[in-house]
Amino acid sequence: MTEKKVFILLTNTGSVLTRLIKLYTKKPYNHASIAFGPDLSEVYSFGRKTARNPFIGGFVKEDVTAGLFKQADCAIYSFTVTDIQFQRMNHYLQKFKTQKHLYRYNFIGLFGVMFNKPITRTKAFFCSQFVASVLEECNIHHFEKPLSLITPPDLQAVDTFRLVYEGKLKNYHNQYKTNKICIQWPCIPV
């Protein structure tokens, strides 16, 4: 049975919404995405659908080389999955891709996090809630608290995730292109 690497991308884009969330959380990263491949060309999350309006959100495929991500700080974690888990993840994501018009951003759920009261809404997620749902639905990691309370720091705390890179996201891409990023232990450049 072969194994594949999947990545968790945590970012701080410096947007107004991110700065407001950071005032509350006091944490360096307040956005979470899941990526399939070390080049980060296939990255999914729940976030803004248009660059200019943070209040129109839902399921998105993110371009981490453009827009708010151009100056983002990040932490990238990797983890290994089996072929079966990888297939489950693709199958689970397929329903989001084909029905993305039905999904909304769970703004109300953010208030639930603030008051430690889970607020689950049908077809609505915030970023870390979505990433946690992928991990749990595909039998990769079980969280001890409701998914609607999972935050980016909770994802950082998963002991099976290995930190691959921390710094400017644009620098990661430059280092990746020159084969200076190590995605497995012992360190073997990509």
Side-chain angles (χ1 to χ4, degrees), residues 9-143:
L9 172 63
L10 304 179
T11 54
N12 173 9
T13 62
S15 71
V16 173
L17 187 58
T18 297
R19 288 192 306 254
L20 287 172
I21 293 170
K22 194 172 182 176
L23 277 174
Y24 172 76
T25 65
K26 312 254 187 295
K27 301 293 182 185
Y29 307 109
N30 292 293
H31 181 66
S33 311
I34 191 160
F36 296 89
D39 63 350
L40 305 181
S41 63
E42 200 175 332
V43 179
Y44 300 97
S45 189
F46 269 67
R48 59 176 73 203
K49 288 188 173 189
T50 62
R52 294 188 177 162
N53 190 340
F55 299 106
I56 298 174
F59 176 74
V60 290
K61 180 178 180 187
E62 297 175 324
D63 179 354
V64 296
T65 63
L68 293 171
F69 289 107
K70 281 184 177 180
Q71 298 302 318
D73 294 318
C74 75
I76 301 171
Y77 292 82
S78 71
F79 60 97
T80 303
V81 296
T82 65
D83 280 334
I84 292 169
Q85 289 170 319
F86 193 78
Q87 289 172 8
R88 283 183 187 153
M89 293 171 86
N90 281 319
H91 185 291
Y92 185 68
L93 282 172
Q94 193 59 38
K95 78 175 182 179
F96 289 94
K97 291 176 186 177
T98 58
Q99 300 177 1
K100 64 182 171 185
H101 62 284
L102 299 176
Y103 288 92
R104 303 285 176 253
Y105 191 86
N106 188 7
F107 281 108
I108 295 169
L110 296 178
F111 291 103
V113 172
M114 288 175 63
F115 298 107
N116 199 32
K117 299 284 183 203
I119 299 175
T120 304
R121 297 176 56 219
T122 303
K123 297 200 183 287
F125 295 83
F126 51 84
C127 61
S128 50
Q129 177 186 19
F130 165 71
V131 172
S133 78
V134 173
L135 298 172
E136 195 153 289
E137 288 290 324
C138 301
N139 296 320
I140 294 161
H141 184 77
H142 173 73
F143 292 91

Side-chain angles (χ1 to χ4, degrees), residues 147-163:
L147 299 182
S148 60
L149 294 179
I150 299 296
T151 63
D154 293 321
L155 296 171
Q156 278 184 293
V158 175
D159 59 1
T160 56
F161 295 174
R162 192 177 74 71
L163 181 65

Side-chain angles (χ1 to χ4, degrees), residues 5 7 38 78 162-164 172 175-176 178-190:
K5 292 275 185 196
F7 300 83
S78 71
R162 192 177 74 71
L163 181 65
V164 172
Y172 172 84
Q175 291 178 25
Y176 177 79
T178 59
N179 295 325
K180 293 182 181 172
I181 296 292
C182 175
I183 63 166
Q184 63 188 34
W185 188 257
C187 189
I188 299 170
V190 291

